[in-house]
Amino acid sequence: MQIGNISHIAGNALCTACGACVGICPSNAIEIHPNTAGFLAANINNDLCIECGKCAKICPSSPENKPSIKTNDIFHGVCLAGFVGYASDNTIRQKSQSGGIVTALLCYLLEQNEIEGAIVNNLNAQTRRPQAIFASSKSEIIDACGSYYAQSSVAKTIIEHSDKKTAAVVLGCQAESLQLIRENYPNVTLPKYIIGLICAGQFSGDMIDDLIAQSGCDANQISEFRFRDKGHGWPGDVHIASSTKDCWLPKESRYRLKQVYELHRCIVCYDQMNVFSDIVCGDPWGISHKQQPEGHTIVIARTEAGKNLLKNAAREGVIILEDLSTENIFNGQTVDGRHKTKFYASREIFYENNWLFPYSHDYFENVPCTPANFMVRKELKERLTYSRDLYLTSSGEDYLKKVNLKKKKLRGSFIQRVMRRMMPYAGAALKKLSIIK
């Protein structure tokens, strides 16, 4: 039985803030707001809600929803072809996060008049948060290069511009909500092309503020913020600039904050590889001969429309592509090892704690995976418990205590790891010293 609205989703720390519910609601009863922990979440105005159930039918975190897909391999999705390549425009390639293929394709579609604009993310300098926008010019599309890793309501913006011919860049949860809209409300016009990004999770917007504070830049005068800037080569460092300062932070700065600000729902997401998109793009992890400083993009064509788009853009010289087996891509992204193990272990932890699990149980049966060992499972349980508790925190004071305590624990773990790695060298040095004596 379908629930009347999606208030229970945010109440169980499962809202991704995709925004589909906002766009589909007929009574304007839903808004997306940051909660105490800085995560965006759907808020229901019960005075306006008519409990029509529309939002519940298209929520990617509702376990009752099972969007259809033409494959039994939900972790891999439909794969028509695999590639690795880059944008032929050096400006686009350099400004992009990987090889610039996503931006190059959007510009190509715009120049060919196949679309009127693209739904992409850029950074709002006032809020210091990413925002989904309708980009109707090449310059706007190029300015939106790169990823911000914090939430934005992309599906909401897509629905708001459903009267136009568009292409959209989305994460897996956002693509899933669009697929549910396509199946439940076929009269809603969706983008002509869905370009997916390989996704390892989203984070609280407070992570951005934390990095800005580390940079020493004036938070009220930020002129540029890039989680990954290739100015020093791929995969990129954090680049933050204000009117008076230009700062680069090593990529380790954002690595260290991931477990502090990660979204609870993302840890248990199966859709790293964006299986409901036309094409999916990402970094060339594991593709050792394509990890040059200038950057490359790995690509999987999932639909004939996506495959034809890639073929046409390559023929016109907009992008440079070479074939790459999808097996190599999945191996590089560690889908069948690390990712599946994390998913199934997380599912077990959800069930043990009686937490609402965001997927139907029978969606993932008969999929082989390697069980998590004791240490992996222990770390996952800590991450899931902390991230859920943080998301549901209602007191600002409690929130700061939890964040600071988490940072302290992570620093201690980091020091322990460094010491363990140094022990063999220390032992060898002491042995050498004793010989000298």
Side-chain angles (χ1 to χ4, degrees), residues 77-114:
V78 175
C79 300
L80 302 184
F83 307 95
V84 61
Y86 54 89
S88 57
D89 185 313
N90 285 330
T91 300
I92 291 177
R93 187 180 187 185
Q94 178 58 38
K95 190 174 174 61
S96 72
Q97 180 169 300
S98 49
I101 283 183
V102 171
T103 301
L105 289 175
L106 295 176
C107 291
Y108 171 71
L109 288 170
L110 189 65
E111 291 170 345
Q112 296 295 310
N113 293 317
E114 286 203 51

Side-chain angles (χ1 to χ4, degrees), residues 90-342:
N90 285 330
T91 300
I92 291 177
R93 187 180 187 185
Q94 178 58 38
K95 190 174 174 61
S96 72
Q97 180 169 300
S98 49
I101 283 183
V102 171
T103 301
L105 289 175
L106 295 176
C107 291
Y108 171 71
L109 288 170
L110 189 65
E111 291 170 345
Q112 296 295 310
N113 293 317
E114 286 203 51
I115 61 172
E116 297 171 67
I119 308 300
V120 293
N121 274 303
N122 69 5
L123 191 75
N124 184 314
Q126 279 70 48
T127 64
R128 303 183 300 281
R129 298 292 184 271
Q131 60 183 3
I133 64 165
F134 173 74
S136 58
S137 68
K138 182 177 178 179
S139 61
E140 286 181 305
I141 292 172
I142 294 175
D143 284 345
C145 274
S147 296
Y148 293 101
Y149 296 99
Q151 299 163 285
S152 67
S153 299
V154 172
K156 169 180 174 288
T157 304
I158 287 172
I159 297 171
E160 288 173 347
H161 294 276
S162 60
D163 60 328
K164 306 178 184 72
K165 292 189 299 181
T166 64
V169 181
V170 301
L171 303 180
C173 56
Q174 297 155 2
E176 187 173 338
S177 69
L178 297 179
Q179 179 66 15
L180 288 166
I181 290 172
R182 188 176 291 112
E183 294 174 10
N184 288 284
Y185 307 108
N187 291 330
V188 177
T189 302
L190 296 177
K192 186 174 182 180
Y193 294 99
I194 302 295
I195 299 178
L197 302 177
I198 295 174
C199 180
Q202 300 181 85
F203 303 89
S204 162
D206 288 1
M207 184 176 179
I208 295 175
D209 293 338
D210 199 320
L211 289 168
I212 291 173
Q214 290 183 44
S215 75
C217 292
D218 186 339
N220 296 315
Q221 296 185 27
I222 299 300
S223 57
E224 183 168 6
F225 180 94
R226 298 289 302 277
F227 267 100
R228 289 173 53 185
D229 192 312
K230 291 190 312 195
H232 300 152
W234 182 87
D237 294 317
V238 181
H239 184 201
I240 305 170
S242 66
S243 57
T244 59
K245 188 173 183 179
D246 189 80
C247 179
W248 291 80
L249 299 174
K251 53 185 175 292
E252 289 76 15
S253 298
R254 58 184 173 82
Y255 293 162
R256 285 194 289 267
L257 294 180
K258 281 187 172 183
Q259 287 193 33
V260 178
Y261 296 110
E262 66 185 331
L263 181 61
H264 176 71
R265 167 68 169 79
C266 293
I267 303 174
V268 76
C269 179
Y270 74 89
D271 197 11
Q272 172 185 335
M273 299 303 294
N274 216 311
V275 298
F276 294 101
S277 56
D278 290 303
I279 66 172
V280 59
C281 301
D283 289 296
W285 301 116
I287 315 299
S288 58
H289 65 295
K290 295 298 179 183
Q291 295 190 355
Q292 290 91 346
E294 57 269 26
H296 283 77
T297 304
I298 54 170
V299 188
I300 297 175
R302 298 203 177 281
T303 65
E304 288 295 337
K307 186 177 178 180
N308 289 333
L309 171 59
L310 291 166
K311 180 180 68 176
N312 294 337
R315 187 183 62 241
E316 296 293 330
V318 173
I319 57 176
I320 310 300
L321 289 180
E322 61 182 87
D323 293 340
L324 180 66
S325 76
T326 54
E327 182 181 357
N328 283 346
I329 292 175
F330 290 122
N331 286 340
Q333 297 294 326
T334 61
V335 173
D336 295 311
R338 171 204 56 83
H339 179 57
K340 284 184 179 178
T341 297
K342 176 172 71 74

Side-chain angles (χ1 to χ4, degrees), residues 377-409:
R377 202 177 189 284
K378 180 175 181 290
E379 181 188 351
L380 268 175
K381 186 172 183 179
E382 289 176 355
R383 286 172 60 189
L384 285 165
T385 303
Y386 165 80
S387 59
R388 189 177 196 274
D389 186 39
L390 190 73
Y391 185 104
L392 298 174
T393 300
S394 58
S395 162
E397 184 179 353
D398 287 345
Y399 164 70
L400 290 175
K401 286 180 180 178
K402 290 170 183 175
V403 165
N404 290 329
L405 181 59
K406 184 68 171 179
K407 288 181 179 180
K408 185 177 180 180
K409 287 183 177 179

